[in-house]
Amino acid sequence: MPDIAAIVAEIAGEMRNAEDRGTVASYIPPLASVPIDKFGIAVVLADGAVHVAGDADEAFSIQSISKVFALTLALGAVGDQLWSRVGREPSGSAFNSIVQLETEHGIPRNPFINAGAIVVCDVLLGRLQPREAIGQMLRFVRELAGDDEAIRLDETVARAEQDTGFRNIALANYMRAFGNIHGDVRMVLGTYFHFCALAMSCRQLAMAGRYLMDGGRVDGHRIVTASRARRIAALMMSCGHYDNSGDFAFRIGLPGKSGVGGGILAVAPGIASIAVWSPGLNEAGNSHLGQRALERLVQRTGWSVFEPREG
Ligand code: GLU
């Protein structure tokens, strides 16, 4: 095993001094004021060792990374029936695009674009009230992270999205017109915005990703079956970075999911769960330095899933 503590410290040092940091998302007002100089990284290894550097303990808005946890909950609720309402193909379009929905009859390409995640929320609301679904999500990430109290929802972010998320409102109404949203559109969106408004640190996020590193288990407890963990990871690899997913697989070669808050959760199956955060984004809405940091990490560790393994 390479010296992960040294590698993580080195990457944080390099990212601290980087000049080109991307652009902070400004379409969600509270995110616009997050300082661009932030950078955090946390690596949790299969043996439980945790290595962190930079702003790894500062909570940030996980935004679309919550789509991984929402998908996990929806699969737990309805199993493979979910796939009649949302696809499993990369969209090749922006995270908030509406164009494919017209020709594809309101069935979003995958659960990691906004339209897909909105359908996932509607599925969860088939059995729960919004308050219950939001409570279930909060309990779930706290349990996964092994962190009972500290993870919270940022109501300011949720409210701002509710007030300004016109594209998401359009997506939900459009899918309602196709019959692929069954519940009250406002309640579905309220749930979606609250999931996006989860605030977590890199350390908490990397801890929460352990079930995807370890065949569906955390500390010996089964969260999902091994085959479900593999499938969620496969979707992260093919669809986790919107229209930048191919490039992420090319450069990094790990299942990962990004959010417009600048976080990325990535897993090296059997080896590590990794979270990085830097609020400046590239044009596709993915963390510019977060991607660079992960690229450095896989270069130095050989953790890409495409790296030949012994045995
Ligand atoms: N809450 C954001 C939105 O719906 C999430 C986007 C993202 O993180 O990709 O626009």
Side-chain angles (χ1 to χ4, degrees):
M1 174 69 76
D3 183 350
I4 305 302
I7 294 172
V8 160
E10 220 174 284
I11 290 172
E14 186 184 330
M15 297 307 148
R16 195 173 307 121
N17 299 323
E19 284 189 2
D20 179 7
R21 308 187 77 88
T23 313
V24 175
S26 55
Y27 77 101
I28 301 174
L31 297 188
S33 54
V34 177
I36 187 97
D37 59 350
K38 298 285 179 187
F39 176 83
I41 178 167
V43 177
V44 178
L45 299 174
D47 68 5
V50 182
H51 300 284
V52 300
D55 303 302
D57 284 307
E58 187 166 329
F60 60 90
S61 193
I62 72 165
Q63 291 293 319
S64 278
I65 303 171
S66 64
K67 294 178 167 82
V68 175
F69 306 121
L71 171 66
T72 306
L73 289 175
L75 286 171
V78 301
D80 286 341
Q81 281 174 39
L82 180 73
W83 304 120
S84 62
R85 297 184 52 194
V86 58
R88 303 189 292 254
E89 291 293 345
S91 68
S93 307
F95 63 94
N96 53 11
S97 171
I98 201 165
V99 285
Q100 281 162 346
L101 283 178
E102 168 140 41
T103 48
E104 298 179 4
H105 312 290
I107 309 285
R109 278 283 175 102
N110 67 69
F112 292 154
I113 50 174
N114 287 9
I118 291 169
V119 169
V120 164
C121 287
D122 186 54
V123 166
L124 289 171
L125 295 188
R127 295 165 180 228
L128 299 170
Q129 293 299 313
R131 203 167 4 94
E132 294 168 332
I134 295 164
Q136 183 191 36
M137 170 63 93
L138 198 52
R139 278 194 305 280
F140 185 50
V141 292
R142 284 175 172 172
E143 180 199 344
L144 290 176
D147 202 324
D148 273 352
E149 298 300 325
I151 298 171
R152 53 182 195 90
L153 278 164
D154 189 333
E155 281 295 339
T156 315
V157 172
R159 214 165 314 118
E161 288 211 65
Q162 223 136 4
D163 292 343
T164 61
F166 303 113
R167 270 182 170 267
N168 289 319
I169 295 166
L171 290 171
N173 279 298
Y174 202 43
M175 291 189 290
R176 181 83 177 82
F178 279 107
N180 199 22
I181 293 291
H182 300 171
D184 180 298
V185 168
R186 273 163 312 175
M187 289 194 185
V188 174
L189 285 167
T191 306
Y192 169 76
F193 291 137
H194 276 83
F195 287 179
C196 289
L198 272 169
M200 294 170 74
S201 66
C202 288
R203 185 194 296 268
Q204 290 164 337
L205 205 49
M207 291 292 281
R210 290 174 299 166
Y211 73 111
L212 297 171
M213 155 181 70
D214 197 13
R217 283 170 313 204
V218 173
D219 296 334
H221 297 291
R222 185 152 291 289
I223 306 294
V224 295
T225 62
S227 86
R228 186 162 288 167
R230 260 197 315 275
R231 288 171 158 192
I232 295 170
L235 287 167
M236 290 166 76
M237 176 70 92
S238 55
C239 313
H241 287 78
Y242 321 115
D243 45 338
N244 211 203
S245 299
D247 194 55
F248 188 83
F250 181 83
R251 286 170 52 193
I252 290 135
L254 293 176
K257 182 73 202 88
S258 69
V260 293
I264 303 176
L265 170 65
V267 283
I271 304 172
S273 173
I274 307 146
V276 288
W277 171 52
S278 174
L281 308 179
N282 66 14
E283 273 158 25
N286 300 309
S287 175
H288 178 65
L289 289 185
Q291 288 196 340
R292 247 178 73 185
L294 287 170
E295 196 171 18
R296 289 278 185 280
L297 185 69
V298 294
Q299 279 164 358
R300 288 180 202 181
T301 56
W303 284 351
S304 158
V305 299
F306 303 110
E307 195 77 33
R309 305 239 181 274
E310 315 226 323

mmCIF file with all atom_site columns, all heavy atoms in Angstrom, residues 55-67:
data_model
loop_
_atom_site.group_PDB
_atom_site.id
_atom_site.type_symbol
_atom_site.label_atom_id
_atom_site.label_alt_id
_atom_site.label_comp_id
_atom_site.label_asym_id
_atom_site.label_entity_id
_atom_site.label_seq_id
_atom_site.pdbx_PDB_ins_code
_atom_site.Cartn_x
_atom_site.Cartn_y
_atom_site.Cartn_z
_atom_site.occupancy
_atom_site.B_iso_or_equiv
_atom_site.pdbx_formal_charge
_atom_site.auth_seq_id
_atom_site.auth_comp_id
_atom_site.auth_asym_id
_atom_site.auth_atom_id
_atom_site.pdbx_PDB_model_num
ATOM 1  N N   . ASP A 1 55 ? -9.373  21.419 4.080  1.00 0.00 ? 55 ASP A N   1
ATOM 2  C CA  . ASP A 1 55 ? -10.638 21.743 4.768  1.00 0.00 ? 55 ASP A CA  1
ATOM 3  C C   . ASP A 1 55 ? -11.555 20.516 4.836  1.00 0.00 ? 55 ASP A C   1
ATOM 4  O O   . ASP A 1 55 ? -12.763 20.614 4.559  1.00 0.00 ? 55 ASP A O   1
ATOM 5  C CB  . ASP A 1 55 ? -11.338 22.884 4.011  1.00 0.00 ? 55 ASP A CB  1
ATOM 6  C CG  . ASP A 1 55 ? -10.442 24.116 3.902  1.00 0.00 ? 55 ASP A CG  1
ATOM 7  O OD1 . ASP A 1 55 ? -10.023 24.618 4.956  1.00 0.00 ? 55 ASP A OD1 1
ATOM 8  O OD2 . ASP A 1 55 ? -10.140 24.547 2.766  1.00 0.00 ? 55 ASP A OD2 1
ATOM 9  N N   . ALA A 1 56 ? -10.987 19.388 5.209  1.00 0.00 ? 56 ALA A N   1
ATOM 10 C CA  . ALA A 1 56 ? -11.735 18.117 5.155  1.00 0.00 ? 56 ALA A CA  1
ATOM 11 C C   . ALA A 1 56 ? -12.825 18.026 6.200  1.00 0.00 ? 56 ALA A C   1
ATOM 12 O O   . ALA A 1 56 ? -13.703 17.167 6.107  1.00 0.00 ? 56 ALA A O   1
ATOM 13 C CB  . ALA A 1 56 ? -10.771 16.946 5.317  1.00 0.00 ? 56 ALA A CB  1
ATOM 14 N N   . ASP A 1 57 ? -12.789 18.912 7.212  1.00 0.00 ? 57 ASP A N   1
ATOM 15 C CA  . ASP A 1 57 ? -13.814 18.826 8.259  1.00 0.00 ? 57 ASP A CA  1
ATOM 16 C C   . ASP A 1 57 ? -14.822 19.966 8.171  1.00 0.00 ? 57 ASP A C   1
ATOM 17 O O   . ASP A 1 57 ? -15.621 20.152 9.082  1.00 0.00 ? 57 ASP A O   1
ATOM 18 C CB  . ASP A 1 57 ? -13.152 18.762 9.640  1.00 0.00 ? 57 ASP A CB  1
ATOM 19 C CG  . ASP A 1 57 ? -12.572 17.373 9.885  1.00 0.00 ? 57 ASP A CG  1
ATOM 20 O OD1 . ASP A 1 57 ? -13.326 16.394 9.733  1.00 0.00 ? 57 ASP A OD1 1
ATOM 21 O OD2 . ASP A 1 57 ? -11.363 17.265 10.154 1.00 0.00 ? 57 ASP A OD2 1
ATOM 22 N N   . GLU A 1 58 ? -14.759 20.690 7.067  1.00 0.00 ? 58 GLU A N   1
ATOM 23 C CA  . GLU A 1 58 ? -15.729 21.781 6.909  1.00 0.00 ? 58 GLU A CA  1
ATOM 24 C C   . GLU A 1 58 ? -16.921 21.286 6.079  1.00 0.00 ? 58 GLU A C   1
ATOM 25 O O   . GLU A 1 58 ? -16.744 20.731 4.987  1.00 0.00 ? 58 GLU A O   1
ATOM 26 C CB  . GLU A 1 58 ? -15.037 22.952 6.201  1.00 0.00 ? 58 GLU A CB  1
ATOM 27 C CG  . GLU A 1 58 ? -15.924 24.155 6.150  1.00 0.00 ? 58 GLU A CG  1
ATOM 28 C CD  . GLU A 1 58 ? -15.151 25.417 5.770  1.00 0.00 ? 58 GLU A CD  1
ATOM 29 O OE1 . GLU A 1 58 ? -13.946 25.535 6.088  1.00 0.00 ? 58 GLU A OE1 1
ATOM 30 O OE2 . GLU A 1 58 ? -15.770 26.279 5.142  1.00 0.00 ? 58 GLU A OE2 1
ATOM 31 N N   . ALA A 1 59 ? -18.133 21.503 6.590  1.00 0.00 ? 59 ALA A N   1
ATOM 32 C CA  . ALA A 1 59 ? -19.323 21.032 5.872  1.00 0.00 ? 59 ALA A CA  1
ATOM 33 C C   . ALA A 1 59 ? -19.583 21.910 4.648  1.00 0.00 ? 59 ALA A C   1
ATOM 34 O O   . ALA A 1 59 ? -19.413 23.126 4.700  1.00 0.00 ? 59 ALA A O   1
ATOM 35 C CB  . ALA A 1 59 ? -20.530 21.054 6.797  1.00 0.00 ? 59 ALA A CB  1
ATOM 36 N N   . PHE A 1 60 ? -19.968 21.282 3.558  1.00 0.00 ? 60 PHE A N   1
ATOM 37 C CA  . PHE A 1 60 ? -20.354 22.013 2.339  1.00 0.00 ? 60 PHE A CA  1
ATOM 38 C C   . PHE A 1 60 ? -21.635 21.385 1.806  1.00 0.00 ? 60 PHE A C   1
ATOM 39 O O   . PHE A 1 60 ? -22.061 20.318 2.265  1.00 0.00 ? 60 PHE A O   1
ATOM 40 C CB  . PHE A 1 60 ? -19.222 21.952 1.289  1.00 0.00 ? 60 PHE A CB  1
ATOM 41 C CG  . PHE A 1 60 ? -18.867 20.551 0.877  1.00 0.00 ? 60 PHE A CG  1
ATOM 42 C CD1 . PHE A 1 60 ? -19.509 19.941 -0.196 1.00 0.00 ? 60 PHE A CD1 1
ATOM 43 C CD2 . PHE A 1 60 ? -17.905 19.827 1.570  1.00 0.00 ? 60 PHE A CD2 1
ATOM 44 C CE1 . PHE A 1 60 ? -19.195 18.648 -0.565 1.00 0.00 ? 60 PHE A CE1 1
ATOM 45 C CE2 . PHE A 1 60 ? -17.591 18.522 1.210  1.00 0.00 ? 60 PHE A CE2 1
ATOM 46 C CZ  . PHE A 1 60 ? -18.237 17.934 0.134  1.00 0.00 ? 60 PHE A CZ  1
ATOM 47 N N   . SER A 1 61 ? -22.240 22.057 0.826  1.00 0.00 ? 61 SER A N   1
ATOM 48 C CA  . SER A 1 61 ? -23.511 21.591 0.282  1.00 0.00 ? 61 SER A CA  1
ATOM 49 C C   . SER A 1 61 ? -23.237 20.430 -0.674 1.00 0.00 ? 61 SER A C   1
ATOM 50 O O   . SER A 1 61 ? -22.597 20.617 -1.704 1.00 0.00 ? 61 SER A O   1
ATOM 51 C CB  . SER A 1 61 ? -24.166 22.767 -0.459 1.00 0.00 ? 61 SER A CB  1
ATOM 52 O OG  . SER A 1 61 ? -25.499 22.452 -0.745 1.00 0.00 ? 61 SER A OG  1
ATOM 53 N N   . ILE A 1 62 ? -23.737 19.229 -0.343 1.00 0.00 ? 62 ILE A N   1
ATOM 54 C CA  . ILE A 1 62 ? -23.335 18.082 -1.173 1.00 0.00 ? 62 ILE A CA  1
ATOM 55 C C   . ILE A 1 62 ? -24.117 18.038 -2.491 1.00 0.00 ? 62 ILE A C   1
ATOM 56 O O   . ILE A 1 62 ? -23.731 17.335 -3.413 1.00 0.00 ? 62 ILE A O   1
ATOM 57 C CB  . ILE A 1 62 ? -23.438 16.723 -0.437 1.00 0.00 ? 62 ILE A CB  1
ATOM 58 C CG1 . ILE A 1 62 ? -24.886 16.278 -0.228 1.00 0.00 ? 62 ILE A CG1 1
ATOM 59 C CG2 . ILE A 1 62 ? -22.641 16.757 0.853  1.00 0.00 ? 62 ILE A CG2 1
ATOM 60 C CD1 . ILE A 1 62 ? -25.011 14.800 0.147  1.00 0.00 ? 62 ILE A CD1 1
ATOM 61 N N   . GLN A 1 63 ? -25.228 18.764 -2.569 1.00 0.00 ? 63 GLN A N   1
ATOM 62 C CA  . GLN A 1 63 ? -25.990 18.882 -3.813 1.00 0.00 ? 63 GLN A CA  1
ATOM 63 C C   . GLN A 1 63 ? -26.229 17.517 -4.473 1.00 0.00 ? 63 GLN A C   1
ATOM 64 O O   . GLN A 1 63 ? -26.777 16.635 -3.851 1.00 0.00 ? 63 GLN A O   1
ATOM 65 C CB  . GLN A 1 63 ? -25.282 19.880 -4.744 1.00 0.00 ? 63 GLN A CB  1
ATOM 66 C CG  . GLN A 1 63 ? -25.362 21.310 -4.212 1.00 0.00 ? 63 GLN A CG  1
ATOM 67 C CD  . GLN A 1 63 ? -26.785 21.840 -4.236 1.00 0.00 ? 63 GLN A CD  1
ATOM 68 O OE1 . GLN A 1 63 ? -27.516 21.607 -5.183 1.00 0.00 ? 63 GLN A OE1 1
ATOM 69 N NE2 . GLN A 1 63 ? -27.211 22.512 -3.190 1.00 0.00 ? 63 GLN A NE2 1
ATOM 70 N N   . SER A 1 64 ? -25.749 17.340 -5.705 1.00 0.00 ? 64 SER A N   1
ATOM 71 C CA  . SER A 1 64 ? -26.127 16.130 -6.453 1.00 0.00 ? 64 SER A CA  1
ATOM 72 C C   . SER A 1 64 ? -25.488 14.847 -5.942 1.00 0.00 ? 64 SER A C   1
ATOM 73 O O   . SER A 1 64 ? -25.867 13.768 -6.394 1.00 0.00 ? 64 SER A O   1
ATOM 74 C CB  . SER A 1 64 ? -25.787 16.293 -7.933 1.00 0.00 ? 64 SER A CB  1
ATOM 75 O OG  . SER A 1 64 ? -26.811 17.007 -8.552 1.00 0.00 ? 64 SER A OG  1
ATOM 76 N N   . ILE A 1 65 ? -24.530 14.952 -5.029 1.00 0.00 ? 65 ILE A N   1
ATOM 77 C CA  . ILE A 1 65 ? -23.983 13.710 -4.467 1.00 0.00 ? 65 ILE A CA  1
ATOM 78 C C   . ILE A 1 65 ? -25.092 12.983 -3.710 1.00 0.00 ? 65 ILE A C   1
ATOM 79 O O   . ILE A 1 65 ? -25.108 11.753 -3.620 1.00 0.00 ? 65 ILE A O   1
ATOM 80 C CB  . ILE A 1 65 ? -22.765 14.000 -3.562 1.00 0.00 ? 65 ILE A CB  1
ATOM 81 C CG1 . ILE A 1 65 ? -21.690 14.754 -4.359 1.00 0.00 ? 65 ILE A CG1 1
ATOM 82 C CG2 . ILE A 1 65 ? -22.189 12.709 -2.978 1.00 0.00 ? 65 ILE A CG2 1
ATOM 83 C CD1 . ILE A 1 65 ? -20.544 15.283 -3.509 1.00 0.00 ? 65 ILE A CD1 1
ATOM 84 N N   . SER A 1 66 ? -26.082 13.764 -3.217 1.00 0.00 ? 66 SER A N   1
ATOM 85 C CA  . SER A 1 66 ? -27.211 13.147 -2.502 1.00 0.00 ? 66 SER A CA  1
ATOM 86 C C   . SER A 1 66 ? -27.986 12.196 -3.417 1.00 0.00 ? 66 SER A C   1
ATOM 87 O O   . SER A 1 66 ? -28.723 11.336 -2.937 1.00 0.00 ? 66 SER A O   1
ATOM 88 C CB  . SER A 1 66 ? -28.148 14.231 -1.959 1.00 0.00 ? 66 SER A CB  1
ATOM 89 O OG  . SER A 1 66 ? -28.735 14.952 -3.034 1.00 0.00 ? 66 SER A OG  1
ATOM 90 N N   . LYS A 1 67 ? -27.829 12.348 -4.740 1.00 0.00 ? 67 LYS A N   1
ATOM 91 C CA  . LYS A 1 67 ? -28.564 11.485 -5.680 1.00 0.00 ? 67 LYS A CA  1
ATOM 92 C C   . LYS A 1 67 ? -28.147 10.021 -5.518 1.00 0.00 ? 67 LYS A C   1
ATOM 93 O O   . LYS A 1 67 ? -28.919 9.110  -5.803 1.00 0.00 ? 67 LYS A O   1
ATOM 94 C CB  . LYS A 1 67 ? -28.361 11.978 -7.113 1.00 0.00 ? 67 LYS A CB  1
ATOM 95 C CG  . LYS A 1 67 ? -28.995 13.371 -7.370 1.00 0.00 ? 67 LYS A CG  1
ATOM 96 C CD  . LYS A 1 67 ? -28.737 13.874 -8.779 1.00 0.00 ? 67 LYS A CD  1
ATOM 97 C CE  . LYS A 1 67 ? -29.571 15.070 -9.213 1.00 0.00 ? 67 LYS A CE  1
ATOM 98 N NZ  . LYS A 1 67 ? -29.159 16.384 -8.837 1.00 0.00 ? 67 LYS A NZ  1
#
